Amino acid sequence: MAYAALLALAALDAAGYSVIAPVIPEIGERTGAGPAVAGALVAAFALGQLGGFPLAGRVVSRRGAVAVFGGSLALVAVGDLGFILTERLEVFFPARLLQGVGAAGLWLGVVFGVLERFPGQEYRRLTGVLAAYSVGGIAGPGIAAAGGIAAPFAIHLALVGAAAGVVLALGSPRERPAFASDRAALLTPGFRLASAGVLIVALGLGVLDGPLPLHFAIELSQAEIAGLYVGGSIVLGVASAAAGSFRPGPMLWLGALATTAGIALAGATGAVPLWLAAVALVGVGLGLGEAGALGILLQHVGVERIVLAMVVWSQVWAVGYLVGPSVAGAVAEGLGFAALGVVPAAGLLLLAAVTPRRPATRG
């Protein structure tokens, strides 16, 4: 029951950030926003996460996972209202930022909720959480198919209200393990590798959510873009679940390569069938890459000293989701959508630079 509740909260979190992509063309049409502004709007979510992760980490370490959920859901709800009640960019930006702060709390609450309740099963259970995030990634674009700007966020707001009941039913475990922080863990080769891997994942997702929907809108309606993203999320979920059965290192590299190739193909072509293939390839890459990066983090840092490492690792994700749409929007506006592959490719170079020639040892 507790695991199902945590999975439901994970799916809600993912729906909150994935709902934006099919709505971006509508926001552009109603406000005149181009690729650069659209990318910045998506990046505002990550900016909120950057501030939210340390706050949520302190709450989790002192009071447990459940304590962070209430405030996080409230912030997400306020953000939803910003998109429901207005059609003004000056409101959309702070609304999206608040949603990012709330999402940071939901992510860390779910992760540490799993670590509290399932010792010894961390990696398998957390790859299940990643699969739940892909379900939310399906739900978000599906919600966006309602059309317009206000309707998708109104539906999401209703789900946030339902999630409050889930949190009340969840409760805290009878015995909560103590999680510690260790700054030395941040200096290990394994942590650097896990961080570079999740950075590529976030860069790819940021490009996919930011400027690429404007490219897809040349041939596809909002509902059709939503369908495209639903399909990609299904692939992502399958890849995440499958990755848990393999060594995380190879999964990380396969994911990074697939993400880079998929983004490059999506931007370089204007043919719908190739877009289908490209988004599927990105879905495979994101699923394998994030599961691989998380597995490396758990393997080389360990659960006992995970708090600071998980907060910083999550912040690296947020940096990627901040930089990805921002830089990709500028690239698309200046060089065209065909150049978007350079954004995840830069992350690929970083991954190559930090990959140890010999496997890193724990510690």
Side-chain angles (χ1 to χ4, degrees):
M1 177 64 181
Y3 188 55
L6 292 169
L7 295 180
L9 290 166
L12 174 72
D13 185 18
Y17 68 72
S18 63
V19 69
I20 192 72
V23 180
I24 284 291
E26 185 71 15
I27 291 174
E29 183 175 332
R30 297 195 190 185
T31 66
V37 174
L41 179 59
V42 172
F45 186 89
L47 189 62
Q49 286 181 306
L50 278 172
F53 283 129
L55 294 174
R58 282 196 288 271
V59 173
V60 166
S61 62
R62 293 174 183 175
R63 300 180 57 193
V66 172
V68 80
F69 285 132
S72 300
L73 290 172
L75 289 170
V76 173
V78 172
D80 282 336
L81 288 173
F83 288 90
I84 294 168
L85 300 178
T86 74
E87 292 185 358
R88 299 164 57 187
L89 281 172
E90 59 266 34
V91 177
F92 290 165
F93 273 90
R96 198 62 181 155
L97 185 141
L98 286 177
Q99 289 181 320
V101 177
L106 290 176
W107 162 250
L108 287 184
V110 168
V111 168
F112 281 94
V114 169
L115 297 181
E116 286 174 352
R117 290 167 170 81
F118 303 104
Q121 305 175 45
E122 294 89 356
Y123 183 48
R124 183 173 64 84
R125 294 282 185 169
L126 286 175
T127 54
V129 167
L130 296 182
Y133 266 84
S134 74
V135 172
I138 295 167
I143 291 169
I149 299 173
F153 286 95
I155 295 170
H156 186 258
L157 179 60
L159 295 174
V160 171
V166 172
V167 172
L168 290 174
L170 179 60
S172 298
R174 293 181 180 178
E175 295 184 9
R176 183 169 62 88
F179 298 112
S181 295
D182 183 359
R183 291 184 181 275
L186 306 182
L187 304 177
T188 62
F191 180 79
R192 290 196 295 269
L193 182 60
S195 297
V198 83
L199 180 66
I200 294 180
V201 169
L203 287 173
L205 184 61
V207 177
L208 190 66
D209 285 349
L212 267 178
L214 296 176
H215 182 47
F216 296 148
I218 296 170
E219 298 289 341
L220 302 175
S221 67
Q222 182 170 335
E224 289 169 336
I225 294 172
L228 179 65
Y229 278 65
V230 165
S233 295
I234 292 172
V235 173
L236 191 158
V238 172
S240 296
S245 300
F246 299 94
R247 291 170 51 220
M251 294 299 98
L252 175 57
W253 264 102
L254 284 174
L257 292 169
T259 297
T260 303
I263 292 293
L265 177 60
T269 183
V272 174
L274 290 178
W275 284 344
L276 294 171
V279 171
L281 189 57
V282 173
V284 170
L286 297 178
L288 297 182
E290 189 165 22
L294 180 58
I296 289 170
L297 181 71
L298 293 172
Q299 179 181 356
H300 292 284
V301 173
V303 174
E304 300 82 5
R305 52 177 183 158
I306 194 68
V307 176
L308 180 61
M310 180 61 73
V311 167
V312 175
W313 184 78
S314 299
Q315 285 183 306
V316 171
W317 188 99
V319 168
Y321 199 63
L322 173 68
V323 171
S326 301
V327 172
V331 168
E333 207 157 271
L335 301 175
F337 291 103
L340 287 178
V342 303
V343 179
L348 197 60
L349 292 176
L350 176 62
L351 181 64
V354 302
T355 298
R357 296 189 179 183
R358 291 183 296 176
T361 58
R362 178 174 170 175

